[in-house]
Amino acid sequence: MSRESIQRHGDALYHALVTRTTIAPLVSREPDLTVEDAYRIQERMLSHRLERGEKIVGKKIGVTSRAVQELIGVKQPDFGQLTSGMAYEEGQDVPLGDLIQPRAEAEVAFVLKSDLNGPGVTATDVLRATDYVVPCFEIVDSRITDWKIKIQDTVADNASCGVYLLGKRRISPNKVDLNLAGMVLERNGELFSTAAGAAVQGGPVNAVVWLANTLGALGIPFRAGEVILSGSQSTLVPCVAGDSLRCTVGGIGACEIHFTGARA
């Protein structure tokens, strides 16, 4: 794909982000669009966020479940970049007016205390480099109309990043078996879904290993202090004004998020 096309699509996705609008799927206009092209579009879209003063504060792993991979026809996850403009703290309401077609995912986040440079990163390396893990919510939000996405669309759209919120309870990853830790997701006090860490690439640590090595091969390291979202352990939950979601992870703790206002 030409440089001009990369820039045009990246600019269109950024415009959709700031105007709270959507665009047609990229693959409907660019049938030969590759995943590699899509990552270059992602970089272009992100460059505008960085130009306006945001900073890269972490990474996210997407498309980790087998069901979602089969839905969009891929056999591996994808990744996006987290920026400072996406971060919320537990206790803050999330205004839906800042989003377009948001859906919530419950997962486990890793916060690093030292750098990780792939390839060659192992699970032991990830555990050593992790300061603590916390339950969290990621609110995914596609700039593609009606979520009609293929892997190229979501990659170009920064892995459908919206915003994220970390829980306050911090636990060393060495004090809990993240593969076996059960997760309970409640919506307005009622059970919505249950899961275990092994549903994510065989375990959240494995997902972080994959991302560290994938990015390392591209010359992109993990930095101390970064937040790594390891992938959803819940089904997607539509975000509705007035709703509260609470996820509880065995051995770690709970995280709660509340939505206000109307969607864009």
Side-chain angles (χ1 to χ4, degrees):
M1 179 175 285
S2 70
R3 179 179 179 182
E4 291 73 19
S5 294
I6 296 289
Q7 293 178 344
R8 182 175 70 255
H9 292 309
D11 293 348
L13 283 166
Y14 178 73
H15 182 263
L17 170 74
V18 297
T19 59
R20 314 293 193 263
T21 56
T22 61
I23 63 175
L26 300 187
V27 293
S28 68
R29 289 170 284 158
E30 300 278 1
D32 297 326
L33 180 68
T34 67
V35 172
E36 290 72 20
D37 292 332
Y39 277 117
R40 293 167 63 198
I41 294 171
Q42 179 189 120
E43 291 176 358
R44 174 69 177 187
M45 178 192 184
L46 280 167
S47 70
H48 293 297
R49 300 191 71 149
L50 301 182
E51 286 169 1
R52 74 181 190 186
E54 295 183 49
K55 297 180 180 179
I56 299 296
V57 297
K59 314 288 189 293
K60 67 150 285 184
I61 307 167
V63 198
T64 52
S65 73
R66 185 180 300 275
V68 175
Q69 289 179 6
E70 291 177 351
L71 179 66
I72 61 177
V74 297
K75 295 182 179 180
Q76 68 177 36
D78 67 358
F79 63 86
Q81 305 272 4
L82 303 179
T83 74
S84 53
M86 301 175 185
Y88 280 79
E89 296 181 1
E90 190 171 17
Q92 288 183 293
D93 291 340
V94 174
L96 294 179
D98 292 344
L99 301 165
I100 306 168
Q101 42 188 357
R103 301 176 182 182
E105 299 178 335
E107 53 196 276
V108 172
F110 292 64
V111 180
L112 303 181
K113 61 184 176 182
S114 57
D115 294 355
L116 272 176
N117 293 280
V121 169
T122 67
T124 299
D125 295 328
V126 168
L127 293 173
R128 287 175 177 168
T130 299
D131 190 9
Y132 56 89
V133 293
V134 294
C136 73
F137 281 102
E138 180 191 358
I139 310 305
V140 292
D141 190 28
S142 180
R143 271 62 64 174
I144 304 299
T145 302
D146 296 329
W147 279 96
K148 292 182 178 179
I149 57 173
K150 295 296 184 183
I151 185 64
Q152 297 94 324
D153 295 301
T154 187
V155 166
D157 193 22
N158 195 30
S160 303
C161 285
V163 300
Y164 70 94
L165 181 147
L166 301 183
K168 295 180 179 178
R169 181 79 183 278
R170 301 177 176 184
I171 298 293
S172 166
N174 297 307
K175 294 184 177 180
V176 59
D177 188 331
L178 292 170
N179 293 356
L180 298 180
M183 174 182 284
V184 175
L185 176 60
E186 298 168 281
R187 184 178 189 179
N188 299 325
E190 297 184 357
L191 179 65
F192 187 88
S193 67
T194 61
V200 178
Q201 295 294 104
V205 174
N206 293 337
V208 177
V209 168
W210 174 84
L211 184 57
N213 288 325
T214 299
L215 292 182
L218 299 174
I220 304 172
F222 284 177
R223 296 298 189 190
E226 285 194 329
V227 176
I228 311 298
L229 305 187
S230 63
S232 178
Q233 295 184 29
S234 73
T235 55
L236 290 169
V237 187
C239 301
V240 178
D243 275 5
S244 292
L245 303 178
R246 179 182 177 88
C247 71
T248 305
V249 182
I252 301 179
C255 177
E256 189 164 345
I257 189 169
H258 181 73
F259 303 105
T260 61
R263 295 188 304 181

